[in-house]
């Protein structure tokens, strides 16, 4: 929880450091503006929170054996090194809406991200303590425990903080 809180705080600081002229600017073709990245992070945490409280999760987009391989080998590597592979497309459930991102201010994004991240962390922590058998389906990794889900969200946020900087 401490690591997660620190990562979210770093993300908010990175977002606030972006020049207002660059907030909606796409740095290069095929990439997202800082506003779009911020919305993507908000949507990711909101999905985690919603799934933890009974909402719809991600659809598995790979075979179960391949998801097991990714979960058993790639995911531990990602969590240990705090690095995400390049070129992997965000699952449909967490792709940001460009129109919504074009209306999102930095202040609103920071507030929404902080609120969603803390709500997701609280729910996942409680599930991990009291209902650790619950699993969250990730599009590529398949079923994840609440703690692993929180660790993945933290690593995902850290990945985007690096890219924002």
């Amino acid at each position: 929880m401490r690591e997660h809180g620190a990562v979210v705080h770093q993300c908010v600081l990175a977002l606030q450091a972006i020049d207002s002229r660059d907030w909606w600017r796409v740095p290069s073709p095929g990439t997202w503006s800082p506003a779009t990245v911020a919305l993507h992070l908000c949507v990711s945490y909101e999905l985690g929170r919603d799934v933890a409280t009974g909402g719809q999760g991600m659809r598995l987009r790979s075979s179960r054996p391949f998801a097991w391989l990714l979960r058993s080998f790639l995911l531990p590597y990602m969590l240990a090194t705090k690095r995400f592979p390049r070129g992997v497309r965000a699952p449909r459930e967490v792709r940001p809406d460009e129109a919504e991102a074009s209306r999102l201010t930095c202040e609103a994004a920071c507030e929404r991200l902080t609120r969603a991240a803390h709500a997701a962390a609280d729910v996942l922590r409680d599930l991990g303590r009291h209902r650790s058998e619950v699993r969250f389906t990730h599009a590529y990794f398949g079923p994840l425990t609440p703690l692993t889900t929180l660790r993945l969200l933290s690593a995902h946020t850290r990945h985007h903080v690096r890219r924002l900087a």
Side-chain angles (χ1 to χ4, degrees):
M1 288 296 287
R2 209 170 316 132
E3 175 190 17
H4 176 261
V7 168
V8 171
H9 181 70
Q10 290 169 359
C11 187
V12 168
L13 292 177
L15 291 170
Q16 290 171 337
I18 294 167
D19 189 296
S20 61
R21 295 170 294 193
D22 295 330
W23 179 248
W24 291 285
R25 187 178 64 77
V26 175
S28 60
T31 63
W32 290 339
S33 70
T36 307
V37 170
L39 181 58
H40 166 64
L41 291 170
C42 292
V43 170
S44 297
Y45 278 110
E46 289 163 354
L47 178 71
R49 177 204 61 212
D50 292 348
V51 170
T53 56
Q56 182 74 22
M58 291 183 177
R59 182 177 67 83
L60 184 61
R61 287 179 173 72
S62 61
S63 68
R64 291 185 186 279
F66 190 63
W68 178 84
L69 281 171
L70 292 175
R71 186 173 58 253
S72 299
F73 297 101
L74 179 61
L75 183 59
Y77 173 79
M78 288 169 53
L79 295 176
T81 62
K82 299 177 168 92
R83 299 237 176 249
F84 270 53
R86 291 192 181 265
V88 176
R89 193 173 166 154
R92 181 176 51 239
E93 295 88 348
V94 294
R95 280 188 214 137
D97 179 300
E98 292 290 340
E100 184 179 358
S102 71
R103 297 184 306 270
L104 187 65
T105 65
C106 181
E107 296 77 21
C110 291
E111 182 181 319
R112 181 174 170 182
L113 175 63
T114 301
R115 187 175 54 249
H118 291 307
D122 290 344
V123 170
L124 290 166
R125 178 197 61 218
D126 292 345
L127 279 175
R129 286 182 181 159
H130 306 293
R131 296 189 51 218
S132 59
E133 76 283 356
V134 171
R135 295 295 178 266
F136 298 87
T137 300
H138 184 275
Y140 306 125
F141 299 117
L144 302 176
T145 66
L147 176 59
T148 302
T149 301
L150 181 60
R151 292 185 66 211
L152 181 58
L153 283 166
S154 296
H156 175 247
T157 301
R158 182 178 290 107
H159 160 75
H160 284 292
V161 168
R162 283 189 185 122
R163 301 207 62 180
L164 288 168

